[in-house]
Amino acid sequence: MESISPVFVIGSYRSGTSVLTWALGQHPNILPLEETNWIYRSSVDFYNMYDLGSSNGEFSHLGSIGWNPEKYLNYFGTCIHSFIEDSKADYIKYSSAQQRLPENQRSHFSIKRRADDPKRRWVDGTPENSHYVYGLSLLFPNAKFIHILRNPKKVARSLMNFSTMGQHDYPEEQAYFTWKRLVSDCVLAEKAFGSQKVLRIYQEDLEVDPKGTIEQCTHFLGEEFHEDCLLPLNAKINSSTYQKNFDSSIEFNINSAKSYEHDCFKFYKEILEQYQIEREPDLHILELLKDKFENYCRSQRPSEVDKIIEQKENKIAELESKLLLMGLPVIIKKYGPENIQAGESYNIQPDGMNAIWVEGINITSSCVVCINDIPLLSSVQDQHLITAKVPNEITKNKGILKLNLLDQKTGRTSNILVVEIH
């Protein structure tokens, strides 16, 4: 099956997300989508549906098929990709994107320039995707994200004059707050997922060096540069009209008497100075991003879903108390994947880490997977299944490893299985 690797352009409003989406979409292998606004939302809805469908553990359908949330969401990500593929011809036929542009610019913005363009990938530039990078990565584990960053004052001034495009003007403080809200989540995603998954470019570079910036993007995406990608950059779209003779420098604005302006430029200065082009995923920040996504999902659940989940959690707590009183041992039956090759990836997760699963009995919520007595970041699915992420250094060499479970609440350990690294 062909790898599904969509592209998401993230960043604040008025930062060039639209023009970058259309520029990348002129590539023969990349289909430019109009802003979707439904794909990111589906990550929340599917996540909540998984919780509802697995709420009764092995007595529910999802709980009895052994699928974790990652596999469940990835399946529906594949369905979304198939939907976009299956509706591609209708999209090309009925889209009014070109008709909304001045006639002399329409040739610069094509959904498909040539009949034989494969368009195997697609790019979505919905700015709200900035808040949902974790959820989108669950749907599309091989997705790539490009964060386009623009000076906060230039964004704010554009938003404050949005009425020149038929939208409402933002009050100044709200304009700055909007920039920081979106950019903060983009920066978290940069740190959490690392440079292999999230690229940062600058809107100013897109203006000054369009070819070099687009080449940087296509290289990141694993695509050959194509001259057609420069065509949209020769025209202005979605551009609000305002006076541009203002000082947008960090040195001037960081001393602003307006607290919101000062705070944004202080943050802007920090993220410019701290940015590293080559960076590994930060697992601590990834956990923060995961918690943020899950908390948001919970806030979006209908009240009846919360009641069902609360009942499930109470039932699990009751069963665990009985297990502790009975002193039933935690027993491992099997694990997977079994054929792990030294230094090679296996069972890759959305954050790029390897993972294993362990089946057994009497697994409690306080259990963790241990390899050679090292506790791993673990996730208990139910009394019979636990998964764990495995750092690369543990399986980089051939040899024999010891696998067991540890109940961190009671200190009890399971039986030991031998894991051979080939």
Side-chain angles (χ1 to χ4, degrees):
M1 181 178 175
E2 186 178 346
S3 175
I4 297 171
S5 183
V7 183
F8 294 95
V9 175
I10 57 177
S12 172
Y13 311 135
R14 321 310 304 143
S15 292
T17 54
S18 295
V19 73
L20 180 58
T21 297
W22 280 102
L24 295 174
Q26 303 312 292
H27 192 282
N29 200 37
I30 303 175
L31 179 77
L33 299 185
E34 296 267 32
E35 291 185 5
T36 59
N37 291 303
W38 64 271
I39 295 179
Y40 70 80
R41 176 69 207 192
S42 68
S43 68
V44 175
D45 294 338
F46 284 128
Y47 189 91
N48 282 335
M49 283 193 286
Y50 178 87
D51 267 357
L52 176 62
S54 61
S55 59
N56 290 322
E58 62 189 75
F59 298 104
S60 61
H61 173 247
L62 285 178
S64 63
I65 64 176
W67 282 29
N68 58 23
E70 289 80 8
K71 185 173 182 179
Y72 179 79
L73 266 78
N74 184 206
Y75 175 84
F76 285 102
T78 304
C79 294
I80 290 171
H81 176 77
S82 296
F83 169 73
I84 292 172
E85 281 289 303
D86 292 346
S87 62
K88 188 190 302 180
D90 289 334
Y91 174 50
I92 294 170
K93 181 178 180 181
Y94 295 112
S95 173
S96 62
Q98 283 183 303
Q99 303 308 313
R100 297 195 300 269
L101 295 168
E103 192 168 350
N104 64 343
Q105 294 184 11
R106 291 175 187 173
S107 63
H108 296 166
F109 298 83
S110 292
I111 295 175
K112 188 174 182 179
R113 306 196 71 83
R114 288 163 292 272
D116 59 349
D117 284 350
K119 298 286 183 180
R120 296 187 185 93
R121 305 172 74 174
W122 43 271
V123 55
D124 176 9
T126 309
E128 283 76 10
N129 289 336
S130 306
H131 297 311
Y132 299 88
V133 174
Y134 185 85
L136 291 168
S137 293
L138 293 177
L139 289 171
F140 310 103
N142 295 318
K144 296 275 192 173
F145 298 83
I146 299 177
H147 173 205
I148 182 167
L149 178 62
R150 190 184 187 192
N151 180 288
K153 192 162 195 169
K154 293 180 180 179
V155 169
R157 288 297 177 97
S158 182
L159 287 170
M160 290 160 61
N161 292 273
F162 220 179
S163 60
T164 60
M165 291 181 55
Q167 306 293 329
H168 71 276
D169 290 338
Y170 281 56
E172 185 176 50
E173 185 171 2
Q174 184 187 353
Y176 276 103
F177 172 79
T178 299
W179 175 88
K180 190 172 183 182
R181 171 174 57 84
L182 288 157
V183 171
S184 294
D185 276 355
C186 292
V187 172
L188 275 180
E190 289 175 355
K191 295 177 179 178
F193 289 101
S195 56
Q196 295 301 307
K197 196 170 187 68
V198 185
L199 170 72
R200 181 197 292 180
I201 66 167
Y202 299 94
Q203 189 270 344
E204 291 80 3
D205 290 343
L206 199 61
E207 290 184 344
V208 174
D209 182 18
K211 184 176 180 181
T213 306
I214 294 297
E215 284 180 335
Q216 185 184 5
C217 292
T218 53
H219 175 75
F220 169 70
L221 298 175
E223 301 285 353
E224 294 289 334
F225 170 75
H226 201 284
E227 290 286 343
D228 288 345
C229 295
L230 300 178
L231 291 172
L233 304 178
N234 296 324
K236 283 192 174 183
I237 61 168
N238 298 339
S239 182
S240 52
T241 304
Y242 58 94
Q243 291 284 68
K244 297 179 173 61
N245 57 340
F246 54 83
D247 191 338
S248 61
S249 68
I250 294 175
E251 294 76 12
F252 177 79
N253 291 280
I254 203 168
N255 296 312
S256 173
K258 301 170 183 175
S259 60
Y260 53 84
E261 192 169 51
H262 162 79
D263 290 344
C264 282
F265 271 90
K266 181 182 177 183
F267 175 61
Y268 184 52
K269 183 174 185 290
E270 289 173 355
I271 62 178
L272 289 178
E273 292 175 346
Q274 296 172 4
Y275 182 68
Q276 295 178 322
I277 296 176
E278 297 293 333
R279 56 197 188 282
E280 293 296 318
D282 187 318
L283 299 184
H284 174 67
I285 295 180
L286 183 62
E287 282 299 310
L288 292 179
L289 208 60
K290 177 184 178 184
D291 289 343
K292 186 175 182 179
F293 174 75
E294 291 178 343
N295 288 334
Y296 178 76
C297 288
R298 293 187 189 101
S299 74
Q300 300 300 300
R301 289 174 183 159
S303 58
E304 61 267 23
V305 175
D306 280 331
K307 289 179 182 177
I308 292 171
I309 293 172
E310 182 180 359
Q311 291 170 358
K312 178 196 78 168
E313 291 174 345
N314 290 338
K315 185 176 180 180
I316 290 173
E318 181 183 346
L319 288 171
E320 288 185 351
S321 297
K322 290 179 180 178
L323 287 174
L324 291 174
L325 289 173
M326 296 169 63
L328 294 177
V330 180
I331 300 174
I332 297 177
K333 289 185 174 181
K334 60 180 179 178
Y335 72 90
E338 293 182 335
N339 187 26
I340 299 175
Q341 303 295 316
E344 295 187 9
S345 299
Y346 52 91
N347 196 15
I348 303 174
Q349 302 303 295
D351 59 8
M353 287 195 68
N354 302 319
I356 61 170
W357 52 264
V358 178
E359 288 187 7
I361 58 176
N362 304 329
I363 298 174
T364 66
S365 61
S366 53
C367 281
V368 294
V369 177
C370 296
I371 293 181
N372 286 353
D373 297 324
I374 300 173
L376 305 181
L377 182 63
S378 304
S379 176
V380 177
Q381 308 300 317
D382 54 40
Q383 288 176 276
H384 304 288
L385 180 65
I386 184 172
T387 59
K389 294 180 179 179
V390 185
N392 292 334
E393 58 266 21
I394 289 182
T395 57
K396 68 179 181 180
N397 298 317
K398 294 181 180 180
I400 301 296
L401 303 177
K402 181 179 74 172
L403 171 70
N404 68 285
L405 300 184
L406 167 66
D407 190 321
Q408 294 182 312
K409 185 181 290 186
T410 65
R412 290 201 306 240
T413 59
S414 72
N415 56 312
I416 296 172
L417 293 185
V418 171
V419 178
E420 184 176 1
I421 308 301
H422 302 281

